[in-house]
Amino acid sequence: MAGIQARNISKRWGDQAAIDDVSFDAGPGQVFGILGPDGGGKTTLFRILTTLLLPDKGTATVDDLDIRRDYRRIRSRVGYMPGRFSLYQDLTVEENLTFYASVFGTTIDENYHLIKDIYQQIEPFKDRRAGALSGGMKQKLALSCALIHKPAVLFLDEPTTGVDAVSRRELWEMLLKLRDQGLCIAVSTPYMDEAAMCDRVALMMRGRFMAQDTPEGITRGFADRLLAVRGDRMPALLRDLRTMPGVLSCHAFGDSHHVTVVDDLDLGGLAGGLAARGHTDVQITPIAPGIEDCFMALARDGGETK
C-alpha cells in the first residue's frame, strides 16, 4: 500500500540500540503520531524512513518504494521537516521557498495551491530573512518548503517544539487539513496531549514501541486504578504518597498528583494515612487515564510492544 510500511527496523550506535525492532503502517489520509521523550529514537527512525540513514536490520517502504533500492525516488516523494530549523537563515522567506521549489523542479506559482492556507499567513513577511522570524513563523515556512513539491508522505520531527500555544494549535489545524486531502503524515512529538490529534499513535521509549493503537485504544488498555490527589502541601504529598501501602506509582500532573493503586485499596484508609502524616484538605478523586498516564505505566512496567 502507499504511505509507510516499516517491518522490524533496528539501528545501533555502538552498544546502544537507537531503534529496536520497530514495525508500523501508516496509510494515505492518516496522521501517525510517535510520542516519546528526547533521545527515544524518533529522529533516528525518521532519518531511516527518509533514506538519510540505513537500518542495520529490517525493511520499509515509503509510497510503495523500498528505502534501500529506491532511495532517490523516495526523496522526491516525501516532505521532511527536521526537528531543528534547517532553512537558510540569511535568505528571505520567498527566497527559501523559491530555492526548495527549484530543487524539485517546480515553482511557487505552479504549486501555490498546495501551500496557500499556510503560506498566506507569512506571505506579508516574504522579504524578511528567515533568521528574523518568530518560532511559529519559522515552522510555517519550513512546512511550506516541505510541501512545495507535492509530496505523498510528510515527515514532521517535533514540529511544535519551542513554539507558543497558539502556533501549536494553528499548525495542527493545518496538518489535519492536509490529512483530509489524502496526505500520509508521520509526526513525532514529546507532547502527550497532541496524541488526540492523531489517527494512530505509538508510544516510544529507548528505541522501542511500547504500544501502538488509536488514542482511544491506548487509554482503554490502561489496567490500573487511577486517582487524582490534591492537598495543601503538594511536594510533601508527592513524597508521602509514594511510600503509602497499596500505591503503585505517583507522578505530578499539573495541579494534582496522578496515583495508580491496587484494586482493593480503601480510599478512606489512604486519606487517613495521609492525615496522620500531617496533610490537610486532601482530595482524592477517581479519574480516567490519559495518554501520559498510559506512557508512565508502560515505562514503569518495562513496556510491552503491541
Side-chain angles (χ1 to χ4, degrees):
M1 74 175 202
I4 307 165
Q5 289 182 304
R7 296 290 178 270
N8 309 112
I9 297 293
S10 295
K11 181 70 177 181
R12 301 188 69 86
W13 301 119
D15 295 333
Q16 180 71 36
I19 305 293
D20 186 7
D21 198 35
V22 164
S23 300
F24 74 97
D25 295 329
Q30 184 179 73
V31 176
F32 187 89
I34 302 176
L35 285 71
D38 292 343
K42 304 186 298 296
T43 296
T44 300
L45 179 60
F46 276 13
R47 287 177 176 172
I48 288 172
L49 295 174
T50 54
T51 76
L52 300 178
L53 288 174
L54 284 172
D56 296 330
K57 296 179 182 178
T59 61
T61 61
V62 176
D63 199 30
D64 287 331
L65 299 171
D66 183 85
I67 59 170
R68 288 184 173 88
R69 184 177 61 250
D70 304 312
Y71 68 93
R72 293 183 185 274
R73 296 171 64 193
I74 286 175
R75 292 176 185 179
S76 67
R77 305 277 189 94
V78 302
Y80 178 41
M81 187 171 156
R84 296 182 62 182
F85 184 68
S86 59
L87 304 184
Y88 293 97
Q89 306 263 4
D90 291 336
L91 296 184
T92 67
V93 167
E94 187 174 44
E95 287 169 343
N96 267 288
L97 191 56
T98 299
F99 172 77
Y100 274 85
S102 66
V103 166
F104 291 100
T106 187
T107 65
I108 298 176
D109 290 340
E110 183 177 354
N111 285 336
Y112 185 78
H113 64 285
L114 298 173
I115 63 169
K116 179 180 178 181
D117 290 345
I118 306 165
Y119 188 60
Q120 277 184 334
Q121 300 182 42
I122 57 174
E123 197 166 13
F125 310 97
K126 64 181 182 180
D127 295 325
R128 182 177 296 182
R129 289 187 179 185
L133 298 175
S134 68
M137 291 172 66
K138 283 181 177 179
Q139 296 300 69
K140 290 167 188 172
L141 174 57
L143 183 56
S144 296
C145 290
L147 290 169
I148 193 60
H149 62 293
K150 196 176 181 179
V153 182
L154 182 62
F155 292 91
L156 306 175
D157 191 5
E158 299 193 357
T160 57
T161 298
V163 301
D164 60 87
V166 173
S167 295
R168 283 179 64 190
R169 184 180 69 249
E170 290 177 343
L171 187 65
W172 273 104
E173 289 172 353
M174 296 172 196
L175 295 183
L176 295 181
K177 287 181 181 178
L178 293 170
R179 176 201 64 185
D180 293 342
Q181 294 170 19
L183 195 63
C184 174
I185 302 173
V187 56
S188 70
T189 177
Y191 300 124
M192 298 292 165
D193 61 310
E194 293 184 351
M197 311 298 289
C198 303
D199 299 292
R200 290 182 62 83
V201 295
L203 306 184
M204 189 174 196
M205 187 172 182
R206 292 192 292 272
R208 296 183 59 233
F209 279 4
M210 299 187 295
Q212 60 174 303
D213 203 335
T214 62
E216 297 79 9
I218 294 286
T219 54
R220 280 198 303 268
F222 189 85
D224 296 327
R225 187 181 177 192
L226 184 64
L227 309 171
V229 182
R230 298 179 180 86
D232 60 333
R233 296 181 296 123
M234 294 296 282
L237 182 62
L238 180 67
R239 293 192 298 269
D240 288 341
L241 277 167
R242 288 174 171 169
T243 64
M244 296 296 289
V247 170
L248 302 174
S249 67
C250 180
H251 302 281
F253 275 72
D255 63 351
S256 67
H257 300 318
H258 285 201
V259 186
T260 56
V261 299
V262 297
D263 290 339
D264 59 352
L265 180 71
D266 176 59
L267 298 189
L270 178 61
L274 292 171
R277 299 192 185 192
H279 295 283
T280 60
D281 195 26
V282 173
Q283 303 170 47
I284 302 175
T285 309
I287 58 171
I291 290 290
E292 191 165 356
D293 297 301
C294 297
F295 188 95
M296 298 303 292
L298 287 166
R300 180 196 72 205
D301 297 336
E304 53 182 59
T305 304
K306 296 183 180 180

